[in-house]
Amino acid sequence: MARSTILIAENSFLIRKGLRSTLHSLENTEIVQSIDNKDDVCKIVNQIKPDILIINPELLPTNCPDLKRNFKNGNKLSLILISDQKNIKEELKADGYIHYLDGKNTILDLLQEILNEKNQNSITDKNADVISAREKNILKHIALGLTNKEIADQLFISIHTVVTHRKNITQKLGIKSVSGLTVYAILHKLISMDEVK
Amino acid sequence: MHIKKEMKLADVIQLNYMLIPVIHRFGINLGFGDKTVAAVCEENEVDLNFFLQLVNAYHDKDYFPKEELQSIPSKDIVTYLKMTHSSYLNEKLSEIEDLIEALQHTETEDEKYILLIRNFYEGYKNELTEHIMHEEEVVFPYVLTVEEICKAGVISEKNQKIYDSFSILKYQDAHDDVEEKLMDLKTIMIKYLTPPLNTNLYHKIIQDLFKLEEDLNYHSRIEDKVLTPKVILMEKSIKNLL
């Protein structure tokens, strides 16, 4: 599974630090940056494209009012607000809300829930961590060193389908490189070691 | 806590042991007793400002004193990065390789799987080496040339050639996927491989891979957040010059 990235925008140093260390125990996530400056928010969000933005509403920039809109196409940023005003979540159409007085577990549960949702959406086959028979077949061809085009030709499917399968395989296995996938294929006896050049 | 010049260097290391290889790359050896950071730097002819900015940037992910770091000559940053490179190439990579090789000697049925790991690691090592060589042969000379042009205010014929041949944007584009294989290797060892009999050694290798990754991340932070922005600024001022 790909790592989820989190960006924290909050002007209180204590909250920033505290949040960072609290979120440290979330698996498979990474806090990419924390910012304390309203002017930087838009630029940095667009630059690093975090999966989750945790932001103090005071830092929401006025010149790019709808941070989420930029991410609708593909990037699916989740917006979490951190504030002491309870009704602000609905007002700003955020995905989550952290109150200043929330305990550690409340915060972690909220984040975990949002992460789970994200991962569900990103994996086409929701139930299976293990790859399907079709994917195994594709993986076998990848491991043998075939290009997307060659795989598509051999299996009579479009390149686009091959690419989609590849993406899913990588996501499920957590392995990105071709040589890594080859090792997996050998370990799971999809191909034998002698077949690899 | 930020590291300051009047702190004892020994205390600094107690604060974060990951700094041991960093200070070593500056040519500073352990055994400095109660000397302060400033004193040790002076003794070893290390630029105190640069040293402080760098160890703080290593120590604290959020510490980015861009302005101070911008004032450090690229030459010094490049020298430091080169020292880090050579410690990867000459020490870290071969240490892990030796461990993996030792794993192979344990004569179990898994031998062929260990061979798989070994070949994979070999591939990663080659990739990283290639990446490092590219930086040393193309990127760093370019950076130094850009700085020279900036200082001189004119472009000599020799510099023009190097200046035209590259741009830091190219570097940014190519500078992402070196850690992919390393992460794959960890994933495979953690998730998909049954550990061989010598589990202690196996665990040590995984831990070493994590440490290497952490160190590489520190390293590329300096490249991406300090060196690159600095070069971008210099490139801009050269454009204005032309």
Side-chain angles (χ1 to χ4, degrees):
Chain A
M1 207 176 285
R3 276 184 163 211
S4 302
T5 50
I6 304 177
L7 175 74
I8 300 175
E10 160 64 56
N11 40 15
S12 151
F13 164 78
L14 278 179
I15 293 178
R16 225 163 47 232
K17 276 283 168 188
L19 205 53
R20 182 184 273 274
S21 91
T22 307
L23 299 185
H24 201 69
S25 46
L26 283 172
E27 273 173 30
N28 240 323
T29 55
E30 182 186 10
I31 294 159
V32 275
Q33 200 166 344
S34 12
I35 34 181
D36 58 359
N37 182 343
K38 190 171 177 168
D39 298 336
D40 291 343
V41 173
C42 265
K43 202 182 89 203
I44 291 179
V45 167
N46 282 316
Q47 203 173 34
I48 58 182
K49 302 197 188 311
D51 296 309
I52 298 177
L53 170 67
I54 304 181
I55 190 165
N56 179 337
E58 284 172 28
L59 290 190
L60 280 170
T62 36
N63 53 344
C64 69
D66 191 357
L67 269 173
K68 285 179 80 179
R69 194 177 298 152
N70 295 336
F71 294 88
K72 277 225 168 105
N73 301 334
N75 277 312
K76 59 216 179 247
L77 167 110
S78 295
L79 188 67
I80 300 181
L81 300 174
I82 173 158
S83 168
D84 55 357
Q85 295 164 262
K86 280 218 161 96
N87 52 355
I88 205 155
K89 178 183 166 190
E90 276 70 36
E91 236 171 74
L92 293 167
K93 294 203 182 64
D95 302 283
Y97 166 76
I98 299 173
H99 190 271
Y100 286 153
L101 298 177
D102 279 346
K104 183 174 180 181
N105 287 333
T106 315
I107 297 174
L108 288 178
D109 287 349
L110 170 76
L111 262 293
Q112 195 59 57
E113 203 177 299
I114 287 177
L115 287 168
N116 289 346
E117 236 166 71
K118 273 187 174 307
N119 288 329
Q120 293 252 320
N121 292 338
S122 63
I123 296 173
T124 333
D125 185 355
K126 287 183 186 171
N127 308 320
D129 245 1
V130 199
I131 53 176
S132 69
R134 184 58 160 177
E135 286 165 346
K136 271 187 192 157
N137 192 10
I138 305 253
L139 174 57
K140 191 173 142 181
H141 286 78
I142 298 173
L144 291 173
L146 273 70
T147 64
N148 286 345
K149 172 94 177 56
E150 287 165 336
I151 299 173
D153 288 348
Q154 281 211 7
L155 300 177
F156 305 105
I157 51 178
S158 73
I159 291 196
H160 177 75
T161 313
V162 178
V163 172
T164 310
H165 279 306
R166 268 188 109 127
K167 244 187 236 159
N168 290 339
I169 294 169
T170 294
Q171 224 149 25
K172 287 181 184 176
L173 300 182
I175 301 175
K176 282 186 181 163
S177 62
V178 173
S179 38
L181 291 170
T182 307
V183 172
Y184 180 91
I186 296 172
L187 287 175
H188 290 77
K189 303 200 167 46
L190 299 177
I191 56 170
S192 76
M193 219 179 282
D194 317 326
E195 283 177 88
V196 188
K197 20 106 222 152
Chain B
M1 183 166 47
H2 285 163
I3 296 158
K4 299 194 183 66
K5 63 177 188 204
E6 59 274 11
M7 283 169 76
K8 289 177 186 168
L9 187 53
D11 292 342
V12 172
I13 288 169
Q14 296 280 3
L15 202 63
N16 183 351
Y17 69 90
M18 284 291 285
L19 292 172
I20 296 176
V22 180
I23 68 157
H24 183 68
R25 283 169 207 154
F26 275 102
I28 298 171
N29 281 314
L30 298 179
F32 27 67
D34 280 330
K35 283 179 199 146
T36 61
V37 170
V40 176
C41 279
E42 200 187 326
E43 222 166 76
N44 288 277
E45 292 173 13
V46 170
D47 183 274
L48 179 63
N49 178 37
F50 182 38
F51 182 85
L52 282 175
Q53 303 310 335
L54 202 79
V55 288
N56 276 310
Y58 263 69
H59 175 59
D60 178 357
K61 275 187 188 163
D62 295 334
Y63 181 84
F64 263 98
K66 281 204 179 124
E67 276 123 52
E68 283 108 318
L69 273 170
Q70 297 287 3
S71 69
I72 294 161
S74 312
K75 186 171 61 65
D76 288 349
I77 302 175
V78 166
T79 308
Y80 172 78
L81 291 173
K82 276 190 179 167
M83 283 190 282
T84 327
H85 283 166
S86 91
S87 92
Y88 292 144
L89 295 184
N90 303 328
E91 294 156 32
K92 298 234 160 130
L93 286 173
S94 31
E95 273 166 28
I96 297 176
E97 191 170 30
D98 289 347
L99 293 178
I100 296 177
E101 210 170 300
L103 205 55
Q104 225 178 350
H105 290 159
T106 49
E107 282 183 40
T108 57
E109 280 176 43
D110 316 312
E111 210 180 323
K112 62 176 181 195
Y113 294 137
I114 295 163
L115 182 67
L116 217 57
I117 290 291
R118 195 177 159 186
N119 288 341
F120 188 85
Y121 181 76
E122 193 76 19
Y124 167 69
K125 192 179 145 187
N126 291 340
E127 214 170 80
L128 185 63
T129 308
E130 219 170 89
H131 176 84
I132 289 177
M133 295 321 280
H134 173 73
E135 288 188 356
E136 304 230 334
E137 281 161 16
V138 180
V139 185
F140 293 166
Y142 172 78
V143 170
L144 296 177
T145 305
V146 167
E147 187 168 67
E148 204 176 293
I149 297 173
C150 266
K151 261 198 197 136
V154 281
I155 307 180
S156 68
E157 210 171 296
K158 184 185 130 235
N159 283 346
Q160 180 82 52
K161 223 173 153 188
I162 303 175
Y163 177 69
D164 289 339
S165 68
F166 194 71
S167 132
I168 204 71
L169 288 174
K170 282 191 203 165
Y171 176 59
Q172 273 183 313
D173 284 346
H175 198 224
D176 42 9
D177 284 338
V178 262
E179 62 261 50
E180 191 176 90
K181 274 215 172 93
L182 182 57
M183 279 159 79
D184 282 356
L185 179 57
K186 278 164 40 202
T187 308
I188 289 168
M189 290 181 78
I190 295 168
K191 282 173 83 175
Y192 302 119
L193 207 69
T194 322
L197 284 180
N198 193 343
T199 38
N200 283 342
L201 186 54
Y202 192 71
H203 295 172
K204 178 161 172 38
I205 293 171
I206 296 177
Q207 285 173 2
D208 281 1
L209 291 174
F210 270 101
K211 272 190 213 143
L212 175 62
E213 187 186 10
E214 196 175 355
D215 205 280
L216 282 167
N217 283 338
Y218 282 151
H219 175 74
S220 38
R221 246 191 1 244
I222 305 286
E223 291 176 339
D224 296 341
K225 296 200 175 166
V226 181
L227 191 62
T228 308
K230 198 174 157 73
V231 175
I232 290 175
L233 277 181
M234 291 194 290
E235 280 179 346
K236 271 192 195 141
S237 71
I238 292 179
K239 281 215 180 84
N240 292 337
L241 194 79
L242 291 174

